[in-house]
């Protein structure tokens, strides 16, 4: 699996789905949700700042609140390559993995926030469970993902993973793969 390289954005604890994707944005077309990513947070101009592969590092309970599945999709579509946090709300985590957005926990968030500055470049190796601070060369341990979660991310999301399994078993014949 390819490593994720990007700049760091920091957020705190209890970042709920209303901060990630405010309710008023729910009436926007799906292709425009990325423009509202984190509008309700401490980084309301996030959608203008984020670049492909950037990494969010947050505290506890990231993605709490409603189970709005559009919240992780807005972050992924905006360019977020991975989210690293102390913990995630269960439904947010499942929704993120299912759409192919890596969400990884770490016990070292406080240390990471002390030693890395917002905007610094990092590289996330999902398979080895590490975060590399490119400027210092320092490596931080992340919790390794379960095999099913890793397989889903490698496939690019749950729909792709299921589709691939059906192809392997000969139960799906799609012109795209044929």
């Amino acid at each position: 699996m390819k490593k994720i390289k990007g700049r760091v954005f920091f957020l705190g604890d209890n970042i709920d789905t209303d901060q990630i994707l405010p309710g008023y944005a729910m009436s926007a077309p799906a292709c425009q949700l990325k423009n509202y990513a984190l509008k309700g947070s401490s980084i309301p101009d996030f959608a203008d700042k984020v670049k492909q592969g950037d990494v969010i590092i947050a505290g506890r309970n990231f993605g709490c609140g409603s189970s709005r599945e559009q919240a992780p999709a807005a972050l992924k579509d905006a360019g977020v390559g991975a989210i690293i946090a102390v913990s995630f709300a269960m439904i947010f985590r499942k929704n993120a993995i299912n759409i192919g957005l890596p969400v990884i926990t770490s016990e070292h968030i406080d240390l990471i926030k002390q030693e890395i500055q917002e905007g610094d470049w990092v590289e996330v190796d999902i398979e080895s469970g590490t975060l590399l601070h490119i400027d210092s060369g320092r490596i931080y341990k992340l919790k390794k993902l379960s095999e099913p979660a890793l397989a889903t991310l490698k496939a690019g999301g749950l729909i792709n993973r299921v589709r691939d399994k059906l192809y392997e078993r000969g139960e799906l014949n799609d012109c795209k793969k044929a």
Side-chain angles (χ1 to χ4, degrees), residues 17 20-21 26 62-77 83 88-103 149 152-153 156-159:
T17 53
I20 297 167
L21 186 67
M26 297 304 294
F62 189 92
C64 59
S66 73
S67 59
R68 130 181 354 153
E69 62 193 51
Q70 296 89 340
L75 293 173
K76 182 180 179 190
D77 291 348
I83 305 169
F88 292 91
M90 183 181 63
I91 293 174
F92 180 90
R93 182 186 178 283
K94 287 180 185 251
N95 286 336
I97 295 289
N98 286 345
I99 63 162
L101 175 61
V103 288
T152 300
L153 290 172
L158 185 60
I159 291 172

Side-chain angles (χ1 to χ4, degrees), residues 7-32:
R7 297 168 304 144
V8 169
F9 288 90
F10 288 123
L11 289 167
D13 294 336
N14 299 311
I15 302 301
D16 63 39
T17 53
D18 284 328
Q19 293 175 69
I20 297 167
L21 186 67
Y24 66 81
M26 297 304 294
S27 62
C31 63
Q32 293 178 13

Side-chain angles (χ1 to χ4, degrees), residues 62-136:
F62 189 92
C64 59
S66 73
S67 59
R68 130 181 354 153
E69 62 193 51
Q70 296 89 340
L75 293 173
K76 182 180 179 190
D77 291 348
V80 172
I83 305 169
I84 301 168
V86 174
S87 63
F88 292 91
M90 183 181 63
I91 293 174
F92 180 90
R93 182 186 178 283
K94 287 180 185 251
N95 286 336
I97 295 289
N98 286 345
I99 63 162
L101 175 61
V103 288
I104 310 155
T105 59
S106 177
E107 299 172 356
H108 308 288
I109 296 297
D110 290 338
L111 180 62
I112 291 168
K113 285 185 172 184
Q114 288 173 9
E115 296 182 355
I116 296 177
Q117 301 297 310
E118 189 161 270
D120 283 0
W121 284 84
V122 295
E123 184 177 83
V124 180
D125 186 333
I126 296 170
E127 289 189 79
S128 71
T130 58
L131 172 74
L132 166 67
H133 181 226
I134 293 172
D135 291 339
S136 70

